[in-house]
Amino acid sequence: MRPLLVWRARHISERMYMLILSILVGAAAGLAAVLLKVCIRAQVQLLQGDISEPYRVFASSVYPIIGISLTVLVTKYFLGGQLGRGIGPIIYSTARENSIVPRSKLYSQLITAFLTVSFGGSAGTEAPISVTGAALGSNIGRVLHVDRRRRRLLTGCGAAAGVAAIFNSPIAGVLFAVETILLELPAQYFIPLLISSATATVVSKALYAGQPFVLITTSWPVDAVPFYVLMGLFTAFFSVYMIRTYHWFERFFDRWPGLDWRKVLLGGTLLGGLIFFFPTLYGEGYNTVELLLRGHPEHITDGSIFSVYQDNNPWLLLVLVLFSMLLKVVATSITVGSGGNGGMFGSSLFAGALAGFFFARLINLSGLTHVPEVHFVVLGMAGTLAGVIHAPLTAIFLIAEITGGYALFVPLMVVSSSSYLITKYFEPYSVYTRKLTARGVDVYANRDRGLLAQLDPRKLLETDFIPVRPNTTLGELVDIFRHSSRDLFPVVASGGRLLGVISLDAVRNALFDDAHYQTTKVSELMKPAPAVVGPNDDLEHTLSLLDRHGAWALPVCEEDGRYLGFILKSAILARYRRQLILESEA
């Protein structure tokens, strides 16, 4: 009985320890989110406060290139040129690098996001603060020497807390971590995630009053269900457009590797031009979303050069909204691609709100029927977010929490789920994971692949195989056999290039031919290797080669053919088993 009580006490104390750590991570992420929000708000007021309305559009066109330039300078001279934008690196760290997030991300994301967004960079702050939260969780775990599994949990807690603090939405924060960071969730993870998100929300609400958006609604019209389905279809194709556009610009700016001032100048100029014609693209754009939710879309054109024509043409507002929603992803892509820092999370909400308003206003102007435009603004946000980041549950609960629109749960479910499913058909990977997949990293692969991907092939390299030269005689080979613990030998040239392999089984009969000990050379006995693998080849591919050729070992060579060692099937399976045991530990 006593061992059972001791076991229970130990596990209860471990759970309490993790709950305390999750509270600590949540509080730290909440403070970081509040700091970022307060600093950006103060900077925006400082930059815009003393400029009269007629000249504000010109200032807004110049500020972004200043912010991007400052971000590039900080990245180059203080961060060693390595920033790691977006959620993608965190997903990769969690899936492939045992949730070890660089310590530099504790501050680098906050500083660069502040410089970019506060100067009008057209991107959201959700990704940087989520990355900061993940870095807090990971590094708190490293400092306290928790095991890999618990460090992964703390990394998810930090990411969840970051999103929860930005929007005061604890449930959405948990779901975001589950759908985008952790990708799979053991049951015992839920409580720490909830505690961390709730803590961050409390800290945020206590130190930074205000909700991003507010919508109070009590019902939704049943006869609008067909339009909800159409809205899901509309946001799905819009999400596909946003994902593909974002990655097209990413490839475009990759023409200038590193921190090239040519792309800073080009990107800043293009972004400034877009903001000059469409001021709604300045910054995160949440003030525009608030106007739509309050039922004042006519003020969207305020400060625009097209505002003088609004009263004369009722369709002008719709055209400006269309261009703004289509160009938001362009503006965000330019902001990030030219050197700024920010994410697609907030941009998806902004563009989705405009898409929902455009869809509803178009129906109302057609005269076919009348639909509540404010409802469709909310549904557009959810549908676009679900499609772009491939996180339908996050979209449903986030929009319900930040707008207070819980009465719209059924429409939110219809739009978000349909948008997600259709988008995933055309774009199997989200805006966060598409680049990882292009690099050959499939974070959605099955568990076996995931465990194999965590193993380092170089650490499995066996180097105690004795190399022999092609001109080695059979007699010398017999002597080498006698003193070796291996029965497989690589045949290498003088420069180290692999020529073939020779095994004891293949030359067993020749070993008893004493008359040819001095005349027979290794070059006459060797055979080509059944397959050759590289030091960084995927272990799943290596195993498939071993199975295909019925081999127990394969040589490992550099790209130039230089021999490095052998990789054994037994070594891979033994290390895989050890990794599986670690993964299964509570």
Side-chain angles (χ1 to χ4, degrees):
M1 188 68 180
R2 178 169 294 179
L4 178 61
L5 293 176
V6 172
W7 180 86
R8 286 180 176 176
R10 180 169 60 84
H11 277 263
I12 290 173
S13 63
E14 287 179 358
R15 290 174 182 173
M16 290 301 298
Y17 181 60
M18 288 306 298
L19 289 178
I20 293 172
L21 290 184
S22 65
I23 293 174
L24 176 62
V25 171
L31 287 171
V34 169
L35 176 65
L36 183 59
K37 289 192 289 187
V38 169
C39 290
I40 289 177
R41 184 174 181 178
Q43 176 79 338
V44 169
Q45 292 176 346
L46 179 65
L47 293 176
Q48 300 285 355
D50 296 331
I51 301 176
S52 59
E53 186 66 32
Y55 302 103
R56 190 167 295 172
V57 66
F58 296 99
S60 298
S61 302
V62 175
Y63 287 149
I65 194 171
I66 298 175
I68 293 173
S69 299
L70 291 174
T71 302
V72 169
L73 288 172
V74 170
T75 303
K76 183 175 182 179
Y77 293 107
F78 295 96
L79 302 175
Q82 301 297 322
L83 181 56
R85 298 168 177 82
I87 300 293
I90 299 300
I91 297 175
Y92 181 81
S93 297
T94 304
R96 298 289 187 266
E97 296 183 341
N98 296 325
S99 301
I100 296 177
V101 181
R103 290 184 175 87
S104 61
K105 290 189 182 294
L106 292 169
Y107 54 87
S108 63
Q109 296 292 314
L110 291 178
I111 296 172
T112 54
F114 163 73
L115 292 174
T116 300
V117 178
S118 66
F119 278 92
S122 190
T125 58
E126 295 78 14
I129 193 59
S130 182
V131 171
T132 302
L136 285 166
S138 172
N139 285 282
I140 287 175
R142 290 170 66 184
V143 169
L144 298 177
H145 302 289
V146 302
D147 59 44
R148 181 189 57 80
R149 188 179 179 89
R150 290 175 175 81
R151 186 169 61 248
R152 182 170 181 262
L153 171 57
L154 290 176
T155 302
C157 285
V163 172
I166 283 287
F167 292 111
N168 293 336
S169 53
I171 297 177
V174 172
L175 294 173
F176 174 78
V178 172
E179 290 186 300
T180 62
I181 305 295
L182 299 176
L183 303 179
E184 59 179 13
L185 184 69
Q188 63 267 29
Y189 275 27
F190 263 111
I191 298 302
L193 284 170
L194 286 170
I195 292 294
S196 182
S197 293
T199 302
T201 303
V202 169
V203 171
S204 178
K205 290 182 73 69
L207 300 180
Y208 186 86
Q211 185 79 355
F213 315 119
V214 176
L215 168 69
I216 299 176
T217 185
T218 57
S219 63
W220 51 274
V222 178
D223 56 359
V225 170
F227 294 103
Y228 299 151
V229 176
L230 290 175
M231 186 73 222
L233 183 66
F234 180 67
T235 53
F237 287 111
F238 183 50
S239 299
V240 172
Y241 157 78
M242 291 188 71
I243 293 173
R244 293 182 178 178
T245 302
Y246 182 82
H247 287 286
W248 185 91
F249 275 96
E250 189 173 59
R251 291 192 300 272
F252 174 80
F253 282 105
D254 281 344
R255 298 177 183 180
W256 298 281
L259 303 173
D260 195 310
W261 286 102
R262 288 175 296 178
K263 67 180 179 181
V264 175
L265 181 60
L266 175 63
T269 303
L270 290 175
L271 182 59
L274 289 175
I275 292 174
F276 179 80
F277 288 103
F278 303 98
T280 53
L281 300 178
Y282 185 87
E284 293 176 294
Y286 286 161
N287 56 333
T288 299
V289 180
E290 291 175 358
L291 289 174
L292 295 176
L293 291 176
R294 291 172 182 161
H296 299 296
E298 66 278 0
H299 293 299
I300 291 179
T301 60
D302 290 353
S304 167
I305 61 174
F306 303 106
S307 60
V308 294
Y309 303 106
Q310 180 179 340
D311 295 335
N312 299 327
N313 190 346
W315 289 88
L316 177 63
L317 175 62
L318 204 61
V319 173
L320 292 178
V321 167
L322 175 63
F323 276 96
S324 295
M325 63 180 262
L326 292 175
L327 291 174
K328 181 61 177 181
V329 64
V330 176
T332 302
S333 304
I334 292 173
T335 299
V336 176
S338 59
N341 190 20
M344 281 293 293
F345 197 110
S347 298
S348 300
L349 294 177
F350 170 88
L354 292 179
F357 171 78
F358 176 83
F359 182 85
R361 176 57 65 93
L362 191 62
I363 292 174
N364 291 337
L365 288 177
S366 68
L368 297 175
T369 185
H370 185 274
V371 295
E373 294 177 352
V374 174
H375 288 188
F376 279 83
V377 170
V378 173
L379 297 176
M381 294 166 70
T384 305
L385 185 65
V388 171
I389 72 172
H390 284 196
L393 292 177
T394 300
I396 293 170
F397 282 90
L398 175 69
I399 302 305
E401 285 184 296
I402 66 178
T403 65
Y406 285 97
L408 295 176
F409 234 86
V410 172
L412 284 171
M413 292 168 65
V414 171
V415 174
S416 297
S417 58
S418 58
S419 177
Y420 166 72
L421 290 173
I422 297 171
T423 303
K424 194 169 179 64
Y425 176 80
F426 292 98
E427 282 292 333
Y429 301 97
S430 73
V431 72
Y432 297 142
T433 59
R434 198 170 189 260
K435 186 174 182 180
L436 292 176
T437 306
R439 290 166 45 195
V441 180
D442 187 356
V443 295
Y444 296 116
N446 61 40
R447 195 182 187 200
D448 288 337
R449 291 180 180 178
L451 290 175
L452 285 173
Q454 293 178 20
L455 305 181
D456 186 355
R458 290 183 178 272
K459 293 182 179 179
L460 298 175
L461 198 64
E462 303 279 353
T463 58
D464 59 341
F465 290 79
I466 301 175
V468 295
R469 296 295 176 85
N471 58 355
T472 300
T473 64
L474 179 58
E476 292 171 332
L477 183 62
V478 170
D479 189 60
I480 293 173
F481 276 148
R482 188 178 296 116
H483 297 91
S484 174
S485 60
R486 300 287 192 180
D487 58 1
L488 185 65
F489 300 86
V491 182
V492 298
S494 57
R497 185 170 60 88
L498 180 72
L499 299 176
V501 295
I502 189 167
S503 66
L504 177 62
D505 290 338
V507 299
R508 189 178 301 275
N509 294 331
L511 295 178
F512 299 97
D513 190 0
D514 298 352
H516 294 89
Y517 271 17
Q518 301 302 320
T519 58
T520 302
K521 304 290 187 180
V522 164
S523 58
E524 303 172 35
L525 301 172
M526 71 180 186
K527 292 182 178 181
V532 176
V533 296
N536 298 313
D537 282 3
D538 184 83
L539 286 179
E540 183 184 11
H541 173 66
T542 302
L543 279 175
S544 68
L545 289 176
L546 287 163
D547 290 337
R548 186 187 311 163
H549 296 284
W552 61 271
L554 289 176
V556 181
C557 299
E558 294 283 11
E559 291 184 4
D560 58 1
R562 184 166 51 87
Y563 166 77
L564 297 176
F566 275 83
I567 189 164
L568 279 59
K569 187 176 185 178
S570 58
I572 297 175
L573 296 179
R575 189 64 62 88
Y576 168 81
R577 182 176 179 274
R578 191 183 311 168
Q579 190 75 11
L580 186 63
I581 293 172
L582 290 173
E583 187 76 13
S584 302
E585 290 178 350

